[in-house]
Amino acid sequence: MPAVPFGNNNETDALATRLHRWATSTEGRVIVGVTGTPGAGKTTLVKSLLSNLYRLDPDSGRWATQVPMDGFHLADVALDELGLRDRKGAPETFDVDGYINLLSRIRTDDKHVIYAPAFERTIEQPIAASIAITPMTRLVLTEGNYLLHTGAWARVSPLLNEVWYCEVAPNVRRERLVSRHVQFGKSEAAARSWVDEVDEPNAQVITNTRDQADLIIVSGSHPSVWAPQTTSSTTTHRWKQ
């Protein structure tokens, strides 16, 4: 699959231009998935793309939006009932059916406002009905770990026009995750233990899906800096009408 360089705003602008062209020339909504391991920079990439898209076309603020898979985290009360609190972030700790149902509605219903949940990291909980997908919405960027996973998750990919995979050096990813866990309340020792026991096994599951992606985006050492990678002009698009 092709790889895209990400070194400065020129590359971000190029991807935003692609998104603008797809969204304004394709019948129906365009839904692009952004996947990768925890700490790979998925959310940073999506926010950067939306920002650059807005600079390219201020009207995109009305027709482009972000829908995180993390909005379908099971709440802690549900995880406690299932005995999965210490596995939070693993494939089985999400409402995959709810996520698929939402994507299906986004794909097929352009007559009504559709509300999607967000994820509030400060409390580590999903927040219902936080994001509105309106009849004007042409482009949806949805990011999450398991967009190319197997089992029940295999129903996600057919609902997406493309899936882009964020990749980062393992040591960089680990340190990002430790810093994130510390920022949101864990001690450094607890954060490193969580990365080793929970995040790393999940990361291996996700890494195994890499070759199914339509595009590989290689992240540098900082969330907002992207390292060059050989690029190709022959991307295969999986548009699904």
Side-chain angles (χ1 to χ4, degrees), residues 109-204:
D109 183 357
D110 60 1
K111 306 299 184 195
H112 304 92
V113 178
I114 301 169
Y115 289 98
F119 185 75
E120 179 52 64
R121 195 163 289 283
T122 56
I123 59 173
E124 291 288 307
Q125 295 296 293
I127 306 295
S130 299
I131 301 164
I133 298 95
T134 74
M136 293 181 62
T137 303
R138 300 282 303 158
L139 172 68
V140 174
L141 301 180
T142 183
E143 85 277 10
N145 293 343
Y146 303 113
L147 308 190
L148 295 172
H149 191 39
T150 57
W153 292 93
R155 294 176 289 158
V156 172
S157 179
L159 297 169
L160 308 177
N161 295 101
E162 280 198 350
V163 180
W164 299 353
Y165 185 96
C166 286
E167 189 169 72
V168 66
N171 63 313
V172 174
R173 172 176 55 77
R174 287 177 57 87
E175 290 308 309
R176 286 181 185 172
L177 290 172
V178 170
S179 296
R180 179 190 297 173
H181 291 314
V182 169
Q183 179 184 356
F184 293 107
K186 288 183 172 64
S187 68
E188 182 167 348
R192 293 192 179 278
S193 176
W194 186 274
V195 170
D196 288 339
E197 297 173 13
V198 180
D199 290 334
E200 283 302 297
N202 294 340
Q204 186 56 58

Side-chain angles (χ1 to χ4, degrees), residues 72 94-102 152 155:
F72 290 88
F94 291 85
D95 176 13
V96 60
D97 291 324
Y99 183 51
I100 289 166
N101 288 339
L102 174 69
R155 294 176 289 158

Side-chain angles (χ1 to χ4, degrees), residues 3-56:
V4 165
F6 249 98
N8 53 49
N9 271 337
N10 290 335
E11 286 82 19
T12 311
D13 282 341
L15 280 183
T17 299
R18 290 177 64 188
L19 291 173
H20 185 272
R21 183 177 67 249
W22 297 341
T24 56
S25 65
T26 302
E27 183 180 352
R29 286 191 175 119
V30 172
I31 311 176
V32 174
V34 176
T35 194
T37 57
K42 299 182 294 296
T43 301
T44 298
L45 172 60
V46 168
K47 290 185 182 301
S48 178
L49 289 170
L50 289 174
S51 176
N52 282 55
L53 189 60
Y54 182 81
R55 289 196 292 108
L56 176 69

Side-chain angles (χ1 to χ4, degrees), residues 79-80 82-90 93 194 197-199:
L79 293 175
D80 287 339
L82 294 169
L84 292 173
R85 183 76 169 268
D86 61 352
R87 294 282 299 132
K88 189 172 183 176
T93 65
W194 186 274
E197 297 173 13
V198 180
D199 290 334

